[in-house]
Amino acid sequence: MEVPEFLAETLGEYEKRRMGRRIGFGERPALLVVDMQRGFTDVDCPVASDLDSQVDSIAELLEIARGRGCPVLFSALAFSPDLSDAGAMRIKGSGMHLLARGGPWVDIDPRLTPVEGEAFFTKTAASCFFGTDLVARLTRQSIDTLIVTGCTTSGCVRATVVDASSYGLRTMVVEEAVGDRAMVPHFASLFDMDSKYADVIGLADTREYLRDYHHS
């Protein structure tokens, strides 16, 4: 990843400590689309932001993954109407009531709609692993590489990446396919993930890897 100027000094300190080595792709990938729901991608929603470029990148990866038989999974953040299952998020984010189950803001962005056979699950916490059956889904398919896209970089993407690393997955974060509400937390989180938990990779390298993938 290209490190912005405000992180350049930190990069030097990390390199001295031999952090940020490459993990590399494995042999059995899955593509995970984190919370690209209308509540976060449709700017008519008060908690959304402009993620059009990320939508375009994810759509491109979806087309390739589907053509190669690579498993695809979608998540969405969704709560009960009274927010009783939202934990601290109901306090930290006053707009969480908009993400009630069954409401329009939980729907995946129509530009990225899952197709038949693709996994879709909702969650009530930042990580896609917390309180879900994601581990079981990946284990059943012998997945060793998780390609992570979605939003937000500093929130649900980062939490998911940390857990994926903890479960021993080769975790790849596609830089052009993740987004946030502001650039400082976005780049700081990319830097942190790339240094400790995952490889932050480019869209072009991800395309090349998926095109060479053969489902078995």
Side-chain angles (χ1 to χ4, degrees), residues 130-194:
F130 186 87
T132 75
D133 65 346
L134 181 54
V135 170
R137 291 177 185 269
L138 299 176
T139 300
R140 283 196 295 267
Q141 299 179 79
S142 300
I143 300 300
D144 65 359
T145 300
L146 192 63
I147 301 171
V148 181
T149 66
C151 69
T152 59
T153 315
S154 62
C156 295
V157 167
R158 186 185 183 282
T160 297
V161 165
V162 172
D163 280 353
S165 172
S166 299
Y167 281 112
L169 291 161
R170 293 175 179 263
T171 309
M172 307 288 142
V173 181
V174 186
E175 185 167 2
E176 297 92 330
V178 294
D180 211 310
R181 299 177 182 89
M183 286 298 99
V184 170
H186 171 74
F187 281 113
S189 296
L190 286 176
F191 179 88
D192 187 59
M193 290 186 288
D194 193 54

Side-chain angles (χ1 to χ4, degrees), residues 73-105:
L73 307 99
F74 291 82
S75 73
L77 198 60
F79 305 111
S80 61
D82 64 358
L83 296 182
S84 59
D85 52 0
M89 280 195 280
R90 67 179 178 176
I91 302 170
K92 300 296 289 185
S94 61
M96 293 300 101
H97 68 282
L98 297 167
L99 306 180
R101 292 189 194 92
W105 301 122

Side-chain angles (χ1 to χ4, degrees), residues 18-40:
R18 300 183 180 181
M19 299 179 71
R21 295 174 63 189
R22 297 293 85 187
I23 299 170
F25 289 101
E27 298 180 354
R28 298 280 297 182
L31 177 62
L32 177 63
V33 182
V34 180
D35 298 359
M36 291 298 282
Q37 60 202 81
R38 289 187 56 221
F40 295 134

Side-chain angles (χ1 to χ4, degrees), residues 47-66:
V47 298
S49 51
D50 181 1
L51 297 173
D52 285 352
S53 66
Q54 287 81 5
V55 168
D56 290 343
S57 295
I58 295 170
E60 187 175 348
L61 293 178
L62 284 171
E63 182 178 5
I64 300 170
R66 288 163 176 165

